[in-house]
Coordinates of all heavy atoms in Angstrom, one line a residue:
M1 N 0.1 16.7 8.4 CA -0.7 17.8 8.0 C -1.3 17.6 6.6 O -0.5 17.1 5.8 CB 0.2 19.1 8.1 CG -0.6 20.3 7.6 SD 0.5 21.7 7.2 CE 0.8 22.3 8.9
A2 N -2.6 17.9 6.4 CA -3.1 17.7 5.1 C -2.7 18.7 4.1 O -2.4 19.9 4.5 CB -4.7 17.8 5.3
E3 N -2.4 18.3 2.9 CA -2.0 19.1 1.8 C -3.1 20.1 1.5 O -4.3 19.7 1.4 CB -1.6 18.3 0.7 CG -0.9 19.0 -0.5 CD -0.5 18.1 -1.6 OE1 -0.2 16.9 -1.3 OE2 -0.6 18.5 -2.7
A4 N -2.8 21.4 1.2 CA -3.8 22.3 0.8 C -4.4 22.0 -0.6 O -3.7 21.5 -1.5 CB -3.1 23.7 0.7
E5 N -5.6 22.2 -0.7 CA -6.3 22.0 -2.0 C -6.0 23.1 -2.9 O -6.0 24.3 -2.6 CB -7.9 21.9 -1.8 CG -8.4 20.8 -1.0 CD -8.4 19.5 -1.8 OE1 -8.4 19.5 -3.0 OE2 -8.5 18.4 -1.1
D6 N -5.7 22.8 -4.1 CA -5.5 23.7 -5.2 C -6.9 24.1 -5.8 O -7.6 23.1 -6.1 CB -4.6 23.1 -6.3 CG -4.3 24.0 -7.5 OD1 -5.1 24.9 -7.8 OD2 -3.2 23.9 -8.1
I7 N -7.2 25.3 -5.9 CA -8.5 25.7 -6.4 C -8.8 25.3 -7.8 O -10.0 25.2 -8.2 CB -8.7 27.2 -6.2 CG1 -7.8 28.1 -7.1 CG2 -8.7 27.7 -4.8 CD1 -8.1 29.5 -7.1
N8 N -7.8 24.9 -8.5 CA -7.9 24.5 -9.9 C -8.1 23.0 -10.0 O -8.4 22.4 -11.1 CB -6.8 24.9 -10.8 CG -6.6 26.3 -10.9 OD1 -7.6 27.1 -11.0 ND2 -5.4 26.9 -10.7
E9 N -8.0 22.3 -8.9 CA -8.2 20.8 -8.9 C -9.6 20.5 -8.3 O -10.2 21.2 -7.5 CB -7.2 20.1 -8.0 CG -5.7 20.2 -8.5 CD -4.7 19.6 -7.6 OE1 -4.9 19.6 -6.3 OE2 -3.8 19.0 -8.0
P10 N -10.1 19.3 -8.7 CA -11.4 18.9 -8.0 C -11.2 18.7 -6.5 O -10.1 18.4 -6.0 CB -11.6 17.5 -8.7 CG -10.8 17.5 -10.0 CD -9.6 18.3 -9.7
A11 N -12.3 18.9 -5.8 CA -12.3 18.8 -4.4 C -11.8 17.3 -4.0 O -12.2 16.4 -4.7 CB -13.7 19.0 -3.8
G12 N -11.0 17.2 -3.0 CA -10.5 15.9 -2.6 C -9.3 15.4 -3.2 O -8.7 14.4 -2.8
T13 N -8.8 16.2 -4.1 CA -7.5 15.7 -4.9 C -6.3 15.7 -4.0 O -5.6 14.7 -4.1 CB -7.3 16.6 -6.1 OG1 -8.5 16.6 -6.9 CG2 -6.2 16.2 -6.8
A14 N -6.1 16.6 -3.1 CA -4.9 16.6 -2.2 C -5.0 15.4 -1.3 O -4.0 14.7 -1.1 CB -4.9 17.9 -1.4
E15 N -6.2 15.1 -0.8 CA -6.3 14.0 0.1 C -6.1 12.7 -0.7 O -5.5 11.7 -0.1 CB -7.7 14.0 0.8 CG -7.9 12.8 1.7 CD -7.0 12.6 2.9 OE1 -6.2 13.6 3.2 OE2 -7.1 11.6 3.6
L16 N -6.5 12.6 -1.9 CA -6.3 11.5 -2.7 C -4.8 11.2 -2.9 O -4.4 10.1 -2.8 CB -7.0 11.6 -4.0 CG -6.8 10.4 -5.1 CD1 -7.2 9.1 -4.5 CD2 -7.5 10.8 -6.3
R17 N -4.1 12.3 -3.2 CA -2.6 12.2 -3.4 C -2.0 11.7 -2.1 O -1.1 10.9 -2.1 CB -2.0 13.5 -3.8 CG -2.2 13.7 -5.2 CD -1.2 14.9 -5.7 NE -1.4 16.1 -5.0 CZ -2.4 17.1 -5.3 NH1 -3.1 16.9 -6.4 NH2 -2.4 18.2 -4.6
R18 N -2.5 12.1 -0.9 CA -1.9 11.7 0.3 C -2.2 10.2 0.6 O -1.3 9.4 1.0 CB -2.6 12.5 1.5 CG -1.9 12.1 2.9 CD -2.7 12.6 4.1 NE -3.9 11.9 4.2 CZ -4.0 10.7 4.8 NH1 -3.0 10.0 5.2 NH2 -5.2 10.1 4.9
L19 N -3.4 9.7 0.2 CA -3.7 8.3 0.4 C -2.9 7.5 -0.6 O -2.4 6.4 -0.2 CB -5.2 8.1 0.1 CG -6.2 8.6 1.3 CD1 -7.6 8.6 0.8 CD2 -6.0 7.8 2.6
Q20 N -2.7 8.0 -1.9 CA -1.9 7.2 -2.8 C -0.5 7.1 -2.3 O 0.2 6.1 -2.5 CB -2.0 7.9 -4.2 CG -3.4 7.8 -4.8 CD -3.5 8.7 -6.0 OE1 -2.9 9.8 -6.1 NE2 -4.4 8.3 -6.9
D21 N 0.0 8.2 -1.7 CA 1.4 8.2 -1.2 C 1.5 7.2 -0.1 O 2.4 6.5 0.1 CB 1.8 9.6 -0.7 CG 3.2 9.7 -0.5 OD1 4.1 9.3 -1.3 OD2 3.5 10.3 0.6
K22 N 0.5 7.1 0.8 CA 0.4 6.2 1.9 C 0.5 4.7 1.4 O 1.3 3.9 1.9 CB -0.9 6.4 2.7 CG -1.1 5.4 3.8 CD -2.4 5.8 4.5 CE -2.7 4.8 5.7 NZ -4.0 5.2 6.3
Y23 N -0.2 4.4 0.3 CA -0.2 3.1 -0.3 C 1.2 2.8 -0.9 O 1.7 1.8 -0.7 CB -1.2 3.1 -1.4 CG -1.4 1.8 -2.1 CD1 -2.4 0.9 -1.7 CD2 -0.5 1.3 -3.1 CE1 -2.6 -0.4 -2.3 CE2 -0.7 0.1 -3.7 CZ -1.7 -0.7 -3.3 OH -1.8 -2.0 -3.9
R24 N 1.7 3.8 -1.6 CA 3.1 3.7 -2.2 C 4.1 3.4 -1.2 O 5.0 2.5 -1.2 CB 3.5 4.9 -3.1 CG 4.8 4.8 -3.8 CD 5.2 6.1 -4.4 NE 5.2 7.2 -3.5 CZ 6.3 7.4 -2.7 NH1 7.3 6.6 -2.8 NH2 6.3 8.5 -1.9
K25 N 4.1 4.2 -0.1 CA 5.1 3.9 1.0 C 4.9 2.6 1.7 O 5.9 1.9 2.1 CB 5.0 5.1 2.0 CG 5.5 6.4 1.5 CD 5.3 7.5 2.5 CE 5.9 8.9 2.0 NZ 5.7 9.9 2.9
Q26 N 3.7 2.2 1.9 CA 3.5 0.9 2.5 C 4.0 -0.2 1.6 O 4.6 -1.2 2.1 CB 2.0 0.6 2.8 CG 1.7 -0.7 3.5 CD 2.3 -0.8 4.8 OE1 2.2 0.2 5.7 NE2 3.1 -1.8 5.1
N27 N 3.8 -0.1 0.3 CA 4.3 -1.0 -0.6 C 5.8 -1.1 -0.6 O 6.4 -2.3 -0.7 CB 3.7 -0.7 -2.0 CG 3.4 -1.9 -2.9 OD1 3.4 -3.0 -2.4 ND2 3.3 -1.7 -4.2
I28 N 6.5 0.0 -0.6 CA 7.9 0.1 -0.4 C 8.3 -0.7 0.9 O 9.3 -1.4 0.9 CB 8.4 1.5 -0.5 CG1 8.2 2.0 -1.9 CG2 9.9 1.6 -0.1 CD1 8.5 3.5 -2.1
A29 N 7.7 -0.3 2.0 CA 8.0 -1.0 3.3 C 7.9 -2.5 3.2 O 8.7 -3.2 3.7 CB 7.2 -0.4 4.4
N30 N 6.8 -2.9 2.5 CA 6.6 -4.3 2.4 C 7.7 -5.0 1.6 O 8.1 -6.1 1.9 CB 5.2 -4.6 1.6 CG 4.0 -4.3 2.5 OD1 4.1 -4.0 3.7 ND2 2.9 -4.3 1.8
D31 N 8.1 -4.3 0.5 CA 9.2 -4.9 -0.3 C 10.5 -5.0 0.4 O 11.2 -6.0 0.4 CB 9.5 -3.9 -1.6 CG 8.3 -4.1 -2.6 OD1 7.5 -5.1 -2.6 OD2 8.3 -3.2 -3.5
R32 N 10.8 -4.0 1.3 CA 12.0 -4.1 2.1 C 11.9 -5.2 3.1 O 12.9 -5.9 3.3 CB 12.2 -2.7 2.8 CG 12.7 -1.6 1.8 CD 13.0 -0.4 2.6 NE 13.3 0.7 1.6 CZ 13.0 1.9 1.8 NH1 12.3 2.4 2.8 NH2 13.4 2.8 0.9
Q33 N 10.8 -5.3 3.7 CA 10.6 -6.4 4.7 C 10.7 -7.8 4.0 O 11.3 -8.7 4.6 CB 9.3 -6.2 5.5 CG 9.2 -7.3 6.6 CD 10.3 -7.2 7.7 OE1 10.8 -6.2 8.0 NE2 10.5 -8.3 8.3
R34 N 10.1 -7.9 2.9 CA 10.1 -9.1 2.1 C 11.6 -9.5 1.8 O 11.9 -10.7 1.9 CB 9.3 -8.9 0.8 CG 9.1 -10.2 0.0 CD 8.3 -10.0 -1.3 NE 6.9 -9.7 -0.9 CZ 6.4 -8.6 -1.0 NH1 6.9 -7.4 -1.5 NH2 5.1 -8.4 -0.7
E35 N 12.4 -8.5 1.4 CA 13.8 -8.9 1.2 C 14.5 -9.4 2.4 O 15.3 -10.3 2.4 CB 14.6 -7.6 0.7 CG 14.1 -7.2 -0.8 CD 14.8 -5.9 -1.2 OE1 15.6 -5.3 -0.4 OE2 14.3 -5.3 -2.3
R36 N 14.2 -8.7 3.6 CA 14.8 -9.3 4.9 C 14.4 -10.7 5.2 O 15.1 -11.6 5.5 CB 14.4 -8.3 6.0 CG 15.2 -7.0 6.0 CD 14.9 -6.2 7.2 NE 14.9 -4.8 6.8 CZ 13.8 -4.1 6.8 NH1 12.7 -4.5 7.4 NH2 13.8 -2.8 6.4
I37 N 13.1 -10.9 4.9 CA 12.6 -12.3 5.2 C 13.2 -13.3 4.2 O 13.7 -14.4 4.7 CB 11.0 -12.3 5.0 CG1 10.4 -11.6 6.2 CG2 10.4 -13.8 5.0 CD1 8.9 -11.3 6.1
E38 N 13.4 -12.9 3.0 CA 14.0 -13.8 2.0 C 15.5 -14.0 2.4 O 15.9 -15.2 2.2 CB 13.9 -13.2 0.6 CG 12.5 -13.3 0.1 CD 12.3 -12.5 -1.2 OE1 13.2 -11.9 -1.8 OE2 11.2 -12.6 -1.8
E39 N 16.1 -13.0 2.8 CA 17.5 -13.2 3.3 C 17.6 -14.2 4.5 O 18.4 -15.1 4.5 CB 18.2 -11.9 3.7 CG 18.5 -11.0 2.5 CD 18.9 -9.6 3.0 OE1 19.1 -9.4 4.2 OE2 19.1 -8.8 2.0
D40 N 16.7 -14.0 5.4 CA 16.7 -14.9 6.6 C 16.4 -16.4 6.1 O 17.0 -17.4 6.6 CB 15.5 -14.6 7.6 CG 15.9 -13.4 8.4 OD1 17.1 -13.0 8.4 OD2 15.0 -12.8 9.1
I41 N 15.4 -16.5 5.2 CA 15.1 -17.9 4.7 C 16.2 -18.5 4.0 O 16.6 -19.6 4.2 CB 13.8 -17.8 3.9 CG1 12.6 -17.5 4.8 CG2 13.6 -19.1 3.1 CD1 11.3 -17.2 4.0
S42 N 16.9 -17.7 3.1 CA 17.9 -18.3 2.3 C 19.2 -18.6 3.1 O 20.0 -19.3 2.7 CB 18.2 -17.4 1.1 OG 18.7 -16.1 1.5
S43 N 19.3 -18.0 4.3 CA 20.5 -18.2 5.2 C 20.3 -19.5 5.9 O 21.2 -19.9 6.6 CB 20.6 -17.0 6.2 OG 19.6 -17.1 7.2
G44 N 19.1 -20.2 5.8 CA 18.9 -21.4 6.5 C 18.4 -21.2 7.9 O 18.5 -22.2 8.7
L45 N 18.1 -20.0 8.3 CA 17.6 -19.7 9.6 C 16.4 -20.4 10.0 O 16.2 -20.7 11.2 CB 17.5 -18.2 9.7 CG 17.2 -17.6 11.1 CD1 18.4 -17.9 12.0 CD2 17.0 -16.1 11.0
H46 N 15.6 -20.8 9.0 CA 14.3 -21.5 9.2 C 14.2 -22.8 8.4 O 14.8 -22.9 7.3 CB 13.1 -20.6 8.8 CG 13.2 -19.2 9.4 ND1 12.8 -19.0 10.8 CD2 13.5 -18.1 8.9 CE1 13.0 -17.7 11.0 NE2 13.4 -17.1 9.9
S47 N 13.5 -23.7 8.9 CA 13.2 -24.9 8.2 C 12.3 -24.6 7.0 O 11.7 -23.5 7.0 CB 12.5 -26.0 9.1 OG 11.1 -25.5 9.3
P48 N 12.3 -25.4 6.0 CA 11.4 -25.2 4.8 C 10.0 -24.9 5.2 O 9.3 -24.1 4.7 CB 11.6 -26.4 4.0 CG 13.0 -26.9 4.3 CD 13.1 -26.6 5.8
E49 N 9.5 -25.7 6.2 CA 8.1 -25.6 6.7 C 7.9 -24.3 7.3 O 6.9 -23.5 7.1 CB 7.7 -26.7 7.6 CG 7.7 -28.1 7.0 CD 9.1 -28.7 6.9 OE1 10.1 -28.2 7.5 OE2 9.2 -29.6 6.0
Q50 N 8.8 -23.8 8.2 CA 8.8 -22.5 8.8 C 8.8 -21.4 7.8 O 8.1 -20.5 7.9 CB 9.9 -22.4 9.8 CG 9.8 -23.2 11.1 CD 11.1 -23.1 11.9 OE1 12.2 -23.1 11.4 NE2 10.9 -23.1 13.2
A51 N 9.7 -21.5 6.8 CA 9.9 -20.5 5.8 C 8.6 -20.3 5.0 O 8.2 -19.2 4.8 CB 11.0 -20.9 4.9
D52 N 7.9 -21.4 4.7 CA 6.7 -21.4 4.0 C 5.6 -20.6 4.8 O 4.9 -19.8 4.3 CB 6.2 -22.8 3.5 CG 7.0 -23.4 2.5 OD1 7.8 -22.7 1.8 OD2 6.9 -24.6 2.3
A53 N 5.6 -21.0 6.1 CA 4.6 -20.4 7.0 C 4.9 -18.9 7.1 O 3.9 -18.1 7.1 CB 4.5 -21.1 8.3
I54 N 6.1 -18.6 7.3 CA 6.5 -17.1 7.5 C 6.1 -16.4 6.2 O 5.5 -15.3 6.3 CB 8.0 -17.0 7.9 CG1 8.3 -17.5 9.3 CG2 8.4 -15.6 7.7 CD1 9.7 -17.8 9.6
S55 N 6.5 -16.9 5.1 CA 6.2 -16.2 3.8 C 4.7 -16.0 3.6 O 4.3 -14.9 3.2 CB 6.8 -16.9 2.6 OG 8.2 -16.9 2.6
A56 N 4.0 -17.1 3.9 CA 2.5 -17.0 3.6 C 1.9 -16.0 4.6 O 1.1 -15.2 4.2 CB 1.9 -18.3 3.8
S57 N 2.3 -16.0 5.8 CA 1.7 -15.0 6.8 C 2.1 -13.6 6.5 O 1.2 -12.7 6.5 CB 2.3 -15.4 8.2 OG 1.9 -14.5 9.1
F58 N 3.4 -13.4 6.0 CA 3.7 -12.1 5.7 C 3.0 -11.6 4.5 O 2.5 -10.4 4.5 CB 5.3 -12.1 5.4 CG 5.7 -10.7 4.8 CD1 5.8 -9.6 5.7 CD2 6.0 -10.6 3.5 CE1 6.2 -8.4 5.2 CE2 6.4 -9.3 3.0 CZ 6.5 -8.3 3.9
E59 N 2.9 -12.4 3.4 CA 2.1 -12.0 2.2 C 0.7 -11.7 2.5 O 0.1 -10.7 2.0 CB 2.3 -13.0 1.1 CG 3.7 -13.2 0.6 CD 4.3 -11.9 0.0 OE1 3.5 -11.0 -0.5 OE2 5.5 -11.7 0.1
Q60 N 0.1 -12.5 3.4 CA -1.3 -12.2 3.8 C -1.5 -10.9 4.5 O -2.4 -10.1 4.3 CB -1.8 -13.4 4.7 CG -3.3 -13.2 5.2 CD -4.3 -13.2 4.0 OE1 -4.1 -13.8 2.9 NE2 -5.3 -12.4 4.2
S61 N -0.5 -10.6 5.4 CA -0.5 -9.4 6.2 C -0.4 -8.2 5.2 O -1.1 -7.2 5.3 CB 0.6 -9.4 7.2 OG 0.7 -8.2 7.8
C62 N 0.5 -8.4 4.2 CA 0.7 -7.3 3.2 C -0.6 -7.0 2.4 O -1.0 -5.8 2.3 CB 1.8 -7.6 2.2 SG 3.5 -7.6 2.9
R63 N -1.2 -8.1 2.0 CA -2.5 -7.9 1.3 C -3.6 -7.2 2.1 O -4.3 -6.4 1.6 CB -3.0 -9.3 0.8 CG -2.2 -9.9 -0.4 CD -2.9 -11.0 -1.0 NE -2.9 -12.2 -0.1 CZ -1.9 -13.0 0.0 NH1 -0.9 -12.9 -0.7 NH2 -2.0 -14.1 0.9
E64 N -3.7 -7.6 3.4 CA -4.6 -7.0 4.2 C -4.4 -5.5 4.4 O -5.3 -4.7 4.3 CB -4.7 -7.7 5.5 CG -5.2 -9.1 5.5 CD -5.0 -9.9 6.8 OE1 -4.5 -9.4 7.8 OE2 -5.4 -11.1 6.8
V65 N -3.1 -5.1 4.7 CA -2.8 -3.7 4.9 C -3.0 -2.9 3.7 O -3.7 -1.9 3.7 CB -1.4 -3.6 5.4 CG1 -1.0 -2.1 5.5 CG2 -1.2 -4.2 6.8
L66 N -2.6 -3.4 2.6 CA -2.7 -2.6 1.3 C -4.2 -2.7 0.9 O -4.6 -1.7 0.3 CB -1.8 -3.3 0.2 CG -0.3 -3.1 0.3 CD1 0.4 -3.9 -0.8 CD2 0.0 -1.6 0.3
G67 N -4.9 -3.7 1.2 CA -6.4 -3.7 0.9 C -7.1 -2.7 1.7 O -8.0 -2.1 1.1
R68 N -6.8 -2.5 3.0 CA -7.4 -1.4 3.7 C -7.1 0.0 3.1 O -8.1 0.8 3.0 CB -6.9 -1.5 5.1 CG -7.6 -2.6 6.0 CD -7.4 -2.5 7.4 NE -6.0 -2.6 7.9 CZ -5.3 -3.6 8.1 NH1 -6.0 -4.9 8.1 NH2 -4.1 -3.6 8.5
I69 N -5.9 0.2 2.7 CA -5.6 1.5 2.1 C -6.3 1.7 0.8 O -6.8 2.7 0.5 CB -4.0 1.7 2.0 CG1 -3.3 1.6 3.3 CG2 -3.7 3.0 1.3 CD1 -1.8 1.5 3.2
H70 N -6.3 0.6 0.0 CA -7.0 0.6 -1.2 C -8.5 1.0 -1.0 O -9.1 1.7 -1.8 CB -6.9 -0.8 -1.9 CG -7.7 -1.0 -3.2 ND1 -8.9 -1.4 -3.2 CD2 -7.3 -0.7 -4.5 CE1 -9.4 -1.4 -4.5 NE2 -8.3 -1.0 -5.3
D71 N -9.1 0.3 0.0 CA -10.5 0.6 0.3 C -10.7 2.1 0.7 O -11.7 2.7 0.3 CB -11.0 -0.3 1.4 CG -11.1 -1.8 1.0 OD1 -11.0 -2.0 -0.2 OD2 -11.2 -2.6 1.9
E72 N -9.7 2.6 1.5 CA -9.8 4.1 1.8 C -9.8 4.9 0.5 O -10.5 5.9 0.5 CB -8.6 4.5 2.7 CG -8.7 4.1 4.1 CD -7.4 4.6 4.8 OE1 -7.3 5.9 5.0 OE2 -6.5 3.8 5.1
I73 N -8.9 4.6 -0.4 CA -8.8 5.4 -1.6 C -10.1 5.2 -2.4 O -10.6 6.2 -2.9 CB -7.5 4.9 -2.5 CG1 -6.3 5.3 -1.7 CG2 -7.6 5.4 -3.9 CD1 -5.0 4.7 -2.3
E74 N -10.6 4.0 -2.6 CA -11.8 3.8 -3.3 C -13.0 4.7 -2.7 O -13.8 5.3 -3.4 CB -12.2 2.3 -3.4 CG -11.2 1.5 -4.2 CD -11.4 1.8 -5.7 OE1 -12.5 2.1 -6.2 OE2 -10.4 1.6 -6.4
A75 N -13.1 4.6 -1.4 CA -14.2 5.3 -0.7 C -14.0 6.8 -0.9 O -15.0 7.6 -1.1 CB -14.2 5.0 0.8
H76 N -12.8 7.3 -0.8 CA -12.5 8.7 -1.0 C -12.9 9.1 -2.4 O -13.5 10.2 -2.6 CB -11.0 9.0 -0.7 CG -10.7 10.4 -0.8 ND1 -11.0 11.4 0.2 CD2 -10.1 11.1 -1.9 CE1 -10.7 12.6 -0.2 NE2 -10.1 12.4 -1.4
C77 N -12.5 8.4 -3.3 CA -12.8 8.7 -4.8 C -14.3 8.7 -5.0 O -14.8 9.6 -5.7 CB -12.2 7.7 -5.7 SG -10.4 7.9 -5.8
R78 N -15.1 7.8 -4.4 CA -16.5 7.8 -4.5 C -17.1 9.0 -3.9 O -18.0 9.7 -4.4 CB -17.2 6.5 -3.9 CG -17.0 5.3 -4.7 CD -17.9 4.1 -4.2 NE -17.5 3.8 -2.8 CZ -16.6 3.0 -2.4 NH1 -15.8 2.4 -3.4 NH2 -16.3 2.7 -1.1
R79 N -16.6 9.3 -2.7 CA -17.1 10.5 -2.0 C -16.9 11.8 -2.7 O -17.9 12.6 -2.8 CB -16.3 10.6 -0.6 CG -16.9 11.7 0.3 CD -16.2 11.7 1.7 NE -16.0 10.4 2.3 CZ -14.7 9.8 2.4 NH1 -13.7 10.5 2.2 NH2 -14.7 8.6 3.0
Y80 N -15.8 11.9 -3.5 CA -15.5 13.1 -4.2 C -15.7 13.0 -5.7 O -15.3 13.9 -6.5 CB -14.1 13.6 -3.9 CG -14.0 14.2 -2.5 CD1 -13.6 13.4 -1.5 CD2 -14.4 15.5 -2.3 CE1 -13.5 14.0 -0.2 CE2 -14.3 16.1 -1.0 CZ -13.9 15.3 0.1 OH -13.8 15.8 1.3
N81 N -16.2 11.8 -6.1 CA -16.5 11.6 -7.5 C -15.2 11.8 -8.3 O -15.2 12.4 -9.4 CB -17.6 12.5 -8.1 CG -18.1 11.9 -9.4 OD1 -18.1 10.7 -9.6 ND2 -18.6 12.8 -10.3
L82 N -14.0 11.2 -7.8 CA -12.8 11.2 -8.5 C -12.5 9.9 -9.2 O -13.0 8.9 -8.8 CB -11.7 11.5 -7.5 CG -11.7 12.8 -6.7 CD1 -10.7 12.8 -5.6 CD2 -11.5 14.0 -7.7
S83 N -11.7 10.0 -10.2 CA -11.3 8.8 -11.0 C -10.5 7.9 -10.1 O -9.6 8.4 -9.3 CB -10.4 9.2 -12.2 OG -10.0 8.0 -12.9
T84 N -10.7 6.6 -10.2 CA -9.9 5.7 -9.4 C -9.0 4.8 -10.3 O -8.8 3.6 -10.1 CB -10.8 4.7 -8.6 OG1 -11.6 4.0 -9.5 CG2 -11.7 5.4 -7.6
T85 N -8.4 5.4 -11.2 CA -7.5 4.7 -12.2 C -6.3 4.0 -11.4 O -5.4 4.6 -10.9 CB -6.8 5.7 -13.2 OG1 -7.9 6.4 -13.8 CG2 -6.1 4.9 -14.2
S86 N -6.5 2.8 -11.2 CA -5.6 1.9 -10.4 C -4.2 2.0 -10.8 O -3.3 1.9 -10.0 CB -6.1 0.5 -10.3 OG -7.4 0.4 -9.7
A87 N -3.9 2.1 -12.1 CA -2.5 2.2 -12.6 C -1.7 3.3 -11.9 O -0.5 3.2 -11.8 CB -2.5 2.2 -14.1
H88 N -2.4 4.3 -11.5 CA -1.7 5.4 -10.9 C -1.1 5.2 -9.5 O -0.3 5.9 -9.0 CB -2.6 6.7 -10.8 CG -2.9 7.2 -12.2 ND1 -2.1 8.1 -12.8 CD2 -3.8 6.9 -13.0 CE1 -2.6 8.4 -14.0 NE2 -3.6 7.7 -14.2
W89 N -1.7 4.1 -8.8 CA -1.4 4.0 -7.4 C -1.3 2.6 -6.9 O -0.9 2.4 -5.7 CB -2.3 4.8 -6.5 CG -3.8 4.5 -6.7 CD1 -4.6 5.1 -7.6 CD2 -4.6 3.5 -6.0 NE1 -5.8 4.5 -7.6 CE2 -5.8 3.5 -6.6 CE3 -4.3 2.6 -5.0 CZ2 -6.9 2.7 -6.1 CZ3 -5.3 1.8 -4.6 CH2 -6.6 1.9 -5.1
T90 N -1.4 1.6 -7.8 CA -1.3 0.3 -7.3 C -0.2 -0.5 -8.2 O 0.3 0.2 -9.2 CB -2.6 -0.5 -7.3 OG1 -3.0 -0.6 -8.7 CG2 -3.7 0.1 -6.5
D91 N 0.0 -1.6 -7.9 CA 0.9 -2.4 -8.7 C 0.4 -2.8 -10.0 O 1.0 -3.4 -10.9 CB 1.4 -3.7 -8.0 CG 2.2 -3.4 -6.8 OD1 2.8 -2.3 -6.8 OD2 2.2 -4.2 -5.9
G92 N -0.9 -2.6 -10.3 CA -1.5 -2.9 -11.6 C -2.6 -3.9 -11.6 O -3.0 -4.5 -10.7

């Protein structure tokens, strides 16, 4: 359910917060999965070559998913003429 707009905020602010939260939650999920992958790799479950391929594939997937969410945020900010101060919602 979409968050209600506060009449004292610029239009689109509630949706921007929802998108920022989506980005933050995805980033947290990526970190958790990265830890699991690192545990599997350090346990010797995979050969070094497999470990490199798994890590590279996972990181690429993370970048793609976060990139799509980032693009949604940027488009939303343009649509509503909102600031896109990246420090508020990305890793920097």
Side-chain angles (χ1 to χ4, degrees):
M1 177 193 285
E3 186 178 328
E5 294 283 339
D6 182 328
I7 60 170
N8 297 317
E9 293 180 323
T13 302
E15 177 65 7
L16 176 59
R17 279 194 305 271
R18 186 194 70 75
L19 290 168
Q20 290 168 334
D21 192 49
K22 179 180 177 182
Y23 185 96
R24 182 185 60 78
K25 288 178 179 178
Q26 183 62 51
N27 215 13
I28 290 168
N30 290 350
D31 288 344
R32 288 183 182 144
Q33 184 61 30
R34 185 177 292 109
E35 288 173 9
R36 285 187 219 115
I37 290 170
E38 288 170 0
E39 287 171 7
D40 285 350
I41 290 170
S42 63
S43 73
L45 189 61
H46 306 285
S47 72
E49 294 80 17
Q50 289 172 322
D52 289 345
I54 291 168
S55 291
S57 175
F58 174 74
E59 293 302 329
Q60 178 63 33
S61 174
C62 289
R63 283 190 295 276
E64 289 171 3
V65 171
L66 290 175
R68 284 192 297 271
I69 299 169
H70 177 271
D71 291 346
E72 284 183 69
I73 291 170
E74 292 288 330
H76 181 78
C77 288
R78 282 191 303 275
R79 188 176 315 117
Y80 287 94
N81 197 31
L82 298 170
S83 172
T84 59
T85 307
S86 295
H88 292 270
W89 53 272
T90 65
D91 291 336

